[in-house]
Amino acid sequence: MAEDGDYTNDGTLDIHKNPANRKETGNWKACRFILGNECCERLAYYGMGTNLVNYLEKRLNMGNVRASNSVTNWSGTCYITPLIGAFLADSYLGRYWTIASFSIIYVFGMTLLTVSASVKGLKPSCENDVCHPTSSQTAICFAALYLIALGTGGIKPCVSSFGADQFDETDKTEKKKKSSFFNWFYFSINVGALIASSVLVWIQMNVGWGWGFGIPAVAMAIAVVFFFSGSRLYRLQKPGGSALTRMFQVVVASLRKSNVEVPDDKSLLYEIIDAECNIQGSRKLEHTGKLRFFDKAAVETASDQVKGAANPWRLCTVTQVEELKSIVRLLPIWATGIVFSTVYSQMSTMFVLQGNTMDQHMGPRFKIPSASLSLFDTLSVIFWAPVYDRLIVPFARKYTGHERGFTQLQRMGIGLVISIFSMVVAGVLEVIRLNFVQRHNYYDLEEIPMSIFWQVPQYFLIGCAEVFTFIGQLEFFYDQAPDAMRSLCSALSLTTVALGNYLSTLLVTVVTSVTTRNGKLGWIPDNLNKGHLDYFYWLLAILSVINFFVYLWISKWYTYKKAKGTAS
């Protein structure tokens, strides 16, 4: 017979909708399946996306700018659709069923992409390495890509939060394990990415695109099997109803009471008497002093409870007000992640195109595809994630006194600085490459005799920056999210990647438009030997410096949330 102490205090349930037993569910035994699922899903995603710019160039006959923009637009959409999945997870389905449902769409999209690249009639016909895609073949390819974008929208915002849900935040021992989970979660992502950027990219460039896309499709099917295999061990958070509705209620109630004075004694603000929160799966939040206008929604007036129960469009609890404040406080931090994501997106576009112009040989016979250089980003993450967790955190803890070594905001800031250096290194390499071209008159040479491995430092630096910024961001947005809005906040953090990709598209479009006036070739022509890609890297470095100083100012202003009580 289980005792009360055997159950979690965070309101989680098991797969049979019973209170989650602490000994039988959750912790690392459940996370093994989640990490396995994530590893296979990321192998599928990166196996298809890492080399996509080359597929669009070679098989769909696109130029540098169009192929690059098509990839960043698609990649951006992959990071916008999580808002849909997150809303469904937090409001109605819960994280488990959202991941399960959208995984099916994902597998279908991967299968369609494989068919479009391998079945005669659906794949473009090619002669002497020049392909002639029809409009219907291009349409099928992009239909498959955007089905994948929809499928990933239900997985991305939920899987990291779902993994973190396996650790009870009210238990000190489990809470410490949760901090490590985010590092190992990101580690598993990059194990999948490592296989994708090495083995799969080589298969795509040397064996064929049918096999190159077919293997990721199988990997995604294995990811689904992994996920369902751990079902009996999972802890499930109850969906808390529509978070967007609750936020709108606070805004409407605040506007209705715009002339009402907020009392100095904050204990007079409206909150339910029960120890537990009235929002499903959430704890109460303590009042914070900033963004005082929204406190008006919690000021009780004579007309608010005339008919007994309070109307949430006129009177909101302190917890409901603090939910909205939490999101508003996150937005400036969120915005500073966009430029970082723009830098990150260059790995699948400009870095690949830059690598295409360089000598890709390893020895006399073996040739490494330029997109495979991203494996050095992956190796960097695989190296730095455990180093950060096992060495840097204990070392930093001695000097900072902080349990995690650095605060999450400090960790993200360090990553922003490293990303600046990655752009500087990429720019310096391009200057050296162009000088080499000029000295030897290699303007019309498709591959200049300069090793592609000179690109390794820029990939390695971005991988290091990821460990600090992206993992810090994952943990920060999970921790600072109200309990019933964690998928939504994870999705919000992912939209920085989407907007970073869209910003890259915008910058490339504007730069191309401005620099090709009066018949000039511009910074990013199809023949990069006659362009100035280095100028584009300098532009990103300058934007990153400005972004970092804005981030410093914003992070000093930030107020951390304070939760109390237990989840209902």
Side-chain angles (χ1 to χ4, degrees):
M1 187 82 178
E3 299 178 4
D4 287 346
D6 291 335
Y7 297 104
T8 58
N9 294 320
D10 58 359
T12 48
L13 307 174
D14 62 21
I15 194 67
H16 304 295
K17 297 185 178 180
N18 299 316
N21 188 299
R22 194 183 297 280
K23 295 176 182 176
E24 295 175 5
T25 63
N27 266 292
W28 288 111
K29 59 180 175 286
C31 287
R32 285 177 303 183
F33 294 95
I34 296 168
L35 294 176
N37 163 268
E38 183 64 7
C39 181
C40 291
E41 187 272 327
R42 292 288 85 185
L43 188 154
Y45 179 83
Y46 288 117
M48 176 267 307
T50 299
N51 204 25
L52 186 58
V53 69
N54 277 330
Y55 181 76
L56 298 181
E57 270 200 322
K58 297 178 187 301
R59 290 291 181 265
L60 296 189
N61 209 15
M62 294 184 181
N64 277 348
V65 170
R66 189 181 167 204
S68 173
N69 284 350
S70 294
V71 171
T72 49
N73 285 339
W74 169 78
S75 185
T77 305
C78 287
Y79 287 90
I80 282 288
T81 52
L83 289 171
I84 300 169
F87 175 76
L88 292 173
D90 281 341
S91 304
Y92 305 110
L93 297 178
R95 287 187 258 282
Y96 175 85
W97 290 109
T98 302
I99 294 170
S101 306
F102 279 76
S103 292
I104 307 304
I105 299 171
Y106 201 137
V107 171
F108 185 72
M110 291 295 299
T111 304
L112 182 60
L113 183 66
T114 304
V115 168
S116 74
S118 54
V119 175
K120 192 174 180 180
L122 292 178
K123 68 176 182 178
S125 59
C126 304
E127 290 179 31
N128 301 321
D129 288 333
V130 178
C131 297
H132 308 281
T134 64
S135 56
S136 59
Q137 288 169 341
T138 303
I140 290 170
C141 174
F142 276 92
L145 288 174
Y146 281 90
L147 263 179
I148 293 165
L150 177 60
T152 196
I155 298 172
K156 280 183 192 291
C158 297
V159 71
S160 62
S161 297
F162 187 61
D165 288 345
Q166 307 311 309
F167 302 96
D168 186 350
E169 200 171 66
T170 63
D171 182 277
K172 285 185 178 180
T173 306
E174 290 196 18
K175 189 176 181 179
K176 284 182 181 177
K177 292 177 184 176
K178 184 175 73 176
S179 185
S180 285
F181 166 77
F182 287 103
N183 288 316
W184 291 106
F185 175 79
Y186 213 77
F187 179 87
S188 69
I189 287 175
N190 283 275
V191 170
L194 176 65
I195 299 168
S197 58
S198 53
V199 178
L200 291 180
V201 169
W202 186 87
I203 288 172
Q204 288 163 358
M205 300 301 283
N206 294 278
V207 178
W209 292 98
W211 280 99
F213 289 150
I215 294 170
V218 172
M220 188 57 218
I222 294 170
V224 174
V225 173
F226 252 116
F227 180 73
F228 283 114
S229 297
S231 295
R232 63 185 180 82
L233 298 173
Y234 295 147
R235 296 175 184 174
L236 279 58
Q237 285 279 6
K238 291 175 279 190
S242 174
L244 294 178
T245 301
R246 292 198 301 276
M247 288 193 287
F248 279 126
Q249 286 171 341
V250 174
V251 172
V252 170
S254 301
L255 291 172
R256 278 179 166 173
K257 296 179 177 178
S258 56
N259 296 323
V260 172
E261 285 291 321
V262 177
D264 292 329
D265 183 358
K266 299 305 178 279
S267 65
L268 297 175
L269 294 174
Y270 177 67
E271 183 60 279
I272 60 166
I273 300 170
D274 299 343
E276 293 182 350
C277 181
N278 62 339
I279 300 167
Q280 277 271 59
S282 184
R283 292 168 294 168
K284 286 184 177 180
L285 295 173
E286 291 183 13
H287 178 266
T288 56
K290 291 177 180 174
L291 301 167
R292 284 172 56 86
F293 176 79
F294 296 121
D295 289 339
K296 293 176 184 288
V299 176
E300 194 168 358
T301 61
S303 60
D304 283 334
Q305 293 199 5
V306 174
K307 297 180 180 178
N311 179 352
W313 293 96
R314 300 189 68 90
L315 180 64
C316 305
T317 63
V318 168
T319 294
Q320 194 175 337
V321 171
E322 289 300 323
E323 270 193 336
L324 177 60
K325 284 188 184 181
S326 294
I327 300 299
V328 174
R329 284 197 301 268
L330 284 172
L331 290 178
I333 300 291
W334 164 84
T336 58
I338 296 171
V339 173
F340 177 84
S341 295
T342 304
V343 168
Y344 178 75
S345 72
Q346 302 315 305
M347 278 199 308
S348 59
T349 53
M350 293 308 164
F351 283 14
V352 176
L353 298 177
Q354 185 184 33
N356 284 345
T357 69
M358 303 173 79
D359 181 11
Q360 298 160 36
H361 285 91
M362 288 178 66
R365 294 186 180 180
F366 187 76
K367 191 176 179 182
I368 184 170
S370 58
S372 285
L373 263 287
S374 64
L375 70 87
F376 288 99
D377 162 77
T378 306
L379 287 171
S380 179
V381 173
I382 290 172
F383 172 76
W384 284 109
V387 166
Y388 183 89
D389 195 49
R390 301 299 184 193
L391 298 178
I392 295 177
V393 169
F395 180 78
R397 191 184 291 139
K398 293 177 184 177
Y399 295 95
T400 63
H402 193 274
E403 183 185 1
R404 292 166 174 161
F406 298 108
T407 66
Q408 293 151 348
L409 289 172
Q410 287 170 339
R411 180 177 185 172
M412 290 157 63
I414 293 168
L416 294 183
V417 172
I418 297 170
S419 73
I420 296 169
F421 287 107
S422 70
M423 284 297 97
V424 171
V425 169
V428 168
L429 174 63
E430 185 63 9
V431 169
I432 294 169
R433 195 189 71 80
L434 289 175
N435 285 340
F436 188 74
V437 168
Q438 187 179 16
R439 273 200 317 274
H440 297 90
N441 196 25
Y442 287 150
Y443 290 105
D444 295 316
L445 209 61
E446 192 172 326
E447 289 181 10
I448 66 170
M450 181 177 175
S451 175
I452 194 173
F453 290 101
W454 285 107
Q455 283 192 306
V456 169
Q458 64 206 54
Y459 280 101
F460 194 80
L461 283 168
I462 285 188
C464 183
E466 277 185 75
V467 169
F468 283 90
T469 296
F470 274 155
I471 301 180
Q473 198 177 57
L474 268 176
E475 190 176 352
F476 178 75
F477 276 76
Y478 181 87
D479 270 7
Q480 295 306 302
D483 294 341
M485 296 170 68
R486 280 178 164 158
S487 295
L488 192 63
C489 286
S490 292
L492 189 64
S493 75
L494 292 169
T495 57
T496 62
V497 180
L499 294 175
N501 277 280
Y502 293 147
L503 178 57
S504 180
T505 299
L506 177 64
L507 287 173
V508 170
T509 304
V510 171
V511 160
T512 302
S513 176
V514 171
T515 61
T516 55
R517 288 175 183 170
N518 303 320
K520 293 179 181 177
L521 285 173
W523 290 1
I524 316 170
D526 287 342
N527 183 349
L528 289 179
N529 294 338
K530 297 179 180 179
H532 262 297
L533 183 57
D534 55 323
Y535 291 174
F536 186 68
Y537 289 143
W538 301 137
L539 175 63
L540 288 176
I542 292 165
L543 288 175
S544 297
V545 170
I546 295 168
N547 183 62
F548 173 67
F549 283 109
V550 171
Y551 175 83
L552 281 182
W553 179 75
I554 290 169
S555 58
K556 287 181 180 178
W557 175 85
Y558 188 79
T559 305
Y560 287 86
K561 78 162 193 186
K562 295 176 182 177
K564 58 182 179 179
T566 58
S568 58

